[in-house]
Amino acid sequence: MGKVTGFLEYERIEEGYEPPPARLKTWKEFVITLNADQAKVQGARCMDCGTPFCNSGCPVNNVIPDFNDLVYQGDWKNAITVLHSTNNFPEFTGRVCPAPCEAACTLNVNDDAVGIKSIEHAIIDRAWAEGWVQPEVPAVKTGKKVAVVGSGPAGLAAAQQLARAGHDVTVFEKNSRIGGLLRYGIPDFKMEKTHIDRRIAQMQAEGVVFRTGVLVGAFPVDSKVTNDARETVSAEQLKAEFDAVLLTGGSENSRDLPVPGRELDGVHFAMEFLPQQNKVVAGDKLKKQLRADGKHVIVIGGGDTGSDCVGTSNRHGAASVTQFELMPQPPEQEDKPLTWPYWPTKLRTSSSHEEGCEREFAIATKEIIGSKGKVTAVKTVRVQLEGGKFVEVPGTEQEHKADLVLLAMGFTSPVGTVLDAFGVQKDARGNARAGTEDGTGYRTNVDKVFAAGDMRRGQSLVVWAIREGRQAAREVDAYLMGRSSLPR
């Protein structure tokens, strides 16, 4: 611990944003990171906790007090070493993680939490700038071959860990670029894709082979999941060629809205809308891009994906953007004595909301109205919770003008045909059935086939995907070698 009284002397410093008029003109990141002095002050606020709840609040169990202290001491190089010991990709989490560690911060009991996420962001950006992030090539190769299906954060974390253990790792990705949700789900203004590209370069130097445009198994004909595959590989081929197969394909089936008018032109899943813009930013040419220019946009779903639709629509130049949330509006301030150290329910306003958005809570969609096959309005009703069920409030029906309706209500399950191709059993939610017990963790019912990430646990956070990838890599390594020295 650096300064014993730091938490009493210094206030929390938030990362800054470029003003909306400037940032809406570009797809670049707009967060102003902490400088070295600001990060030092934030590090000084870290308390000498008997039990640092931030460690357990973080899904990858970052050793947070240690790197906070190292930043306070000015030892940035050791700070990135500590950070990398638990997190392969802090540049991802430092940008898009909601920071459950801060909710669990002891200082958050009756004050503002330590700015852990902003410190993490500052550490990794400094590390890249100083050239401290280098390939870690294994000294000895095992001769074992591992296939990783899916290149999202879980697949990338697992692939890097397995390559560093000396295995020959090949990552299969159905799209033309590596990254999964990081590449095609998160807008560039939240995370520029150069962060993925330089990690890919590092991993290639460590021996990882990436095969893009390769579909493992098959997709349903009517699948809405993004797919640029140019070739197909069967499950039998992978099982025959590799000593182990790890499935990390994510949870890609979007939750639908079964109401009259769903079939109208102009009603789309968020994951039809967002990946197209990411592809355009990357330089791809699309014939009929979904755009919000001059349109009245309704976003149905109040989570992060819905917020990303808001920010993207504003950058397109939408005439208006309205976001619907079925749940009632949460309180602006959580009840800390009741919720700490757990993730609290409270009103969260994203940078996209601040750029321009009407938010409607406790509202349900009854019908999507159209003319000549195109959406023109959304019919809604107010709801309230009674006995655990949503009940319509009489006399509250309303029509909202709409030219584009984006469904951002989360994801229900992975693409089933991938699991079906391997014969993997599913749980009640359609996810791959695989436990996390040490020694047999992440194994499916199929010999030498493992599953991790959202494909196993369901829709979750990037930081949870990294955790799952790291833990699954340890289990695969132990399966191949009889034991593993990889961290759990």
Side-chain angles (χ1 to χ4, degrees), residues 294-310:
K295 296 178 180 178
H296 296 280
V297 181
I298 301 291
V299 178
I300 300 178
D304 288 340
T305 303
S307 174
D308 293 343
C309 289
V310 171

Side-chain angles (χ1 to χ4, degrees), residues 348-378:
R348 303 176 193 277
T349 301
S350 72
S351 58
S352 292
H353 294 140
E354 294 170 351
E355 293 163 2
C357 174
E358 292 293 326
R359 304 171 73 182
E360 299 281 355
F361 293 90
I363 190 168
T365 301
K366 294 199 69 174
E367 181 183 358
I368 300 173
I369 302 169
S371 176
K372 299 180 181 179
K374 294 186 177 182
V375 62
T376 58
V378 175

Side-chain angles (χ1 to χ4, degrees), residues 6-129:
F7 71 97
L8 297 172
E9 298 176 34
Y10 305 122
E11 295 182 354
R12 177 183 171 98
I13 304 173
E14 299 280 356
E15 291 182 318
Y17 293 157
E18 293 180 11
R23 70 191 196 225
L24 285 173
K25 297 176 182 178
T26 173
W27 296 96
K28 298 290 186 181
E29 293 177 11
F30 52 82
V31 173
I32 302 170
T33 57
L34 303 185
N35 60 36
D37 290 338
Q38 291 172 326
K40 179 177 180 177
V41 167
Q42 278 305 289
R45 296 184 73 234
C46 190
M47 305 170 70
D48 189 11
C49 302
T51 301
F53 287 91
C54 56
N55 287 11
S56 55
C58 172
V60 293
N61 302 122
N62 276 337
V63 193
I64 293 165
D66 293 47
F67 68 64
N68 282 344
D69 178 50
L70 288 166
V71 167
Y72 173 73
Q73 301 293 346
D75 191 351
W76 291 79
K77 194 168 185 179
N78 273 324
I80 188 57
T81 299
V82 171
L83 183 51
H84 267 152
S85 70
T86 56
N87 186 353
N88 295 69
F89 313 120
E91 64 270 46
F92 303 162
T93 52
R95 285 169 167 81
V96 301
C97 181
C101 56
E102 294 186 12
C105 174
T106 302
L107 189 54
N108 192 48
V109 172
N110 59 1
D111 200 348
D112 293 327
V114 174
I116 300 167
K117 179 179 175 180
S118 62
I119 295 173
E120 178 179 3
H121 191 174
I123 292 171
I124 185 58
D125 282 8
R126 172 79 174 266
W128 279 110

Side-chain angles (χ1 to χ4, degrees), residues 42 108 142 205 221 223 237 261 337 384 442:
Q42 278 305 289
N108 192 48
T142 66
V221 176
S223 175
Q237 286 176 275
Q384 59 187 19
Y442 300 91

Side-chain angles (χ1 to χ4, degrees), residues 5 28 119 123 140 159 183 205 217 220 230 240 287 329 341 365 368 374 384 421 460 462:
T5 58
K28 298 290 186 181
I119 295 173
I123 292 171
V140 178
R183 176 76 66 176
R230 301 180 302 274
K287 292 182 179 179
Q329 181 172 328
T365 301
I368 300 173
K374 294 186 177 182
Q384 59 187 19
S460 192
V462 168

Side-chain angles (χ1 to χ4, degrees), residues 120 126 137 175 248 263 328 337 346 364 366 459:
E120 178 179 3
R126 172 79 174 266
V137 182
N175 288 301
T248 60
E263 75 288 348
K346 68 175 182 178
K366 294 199 69 174
Q459 174 192 352

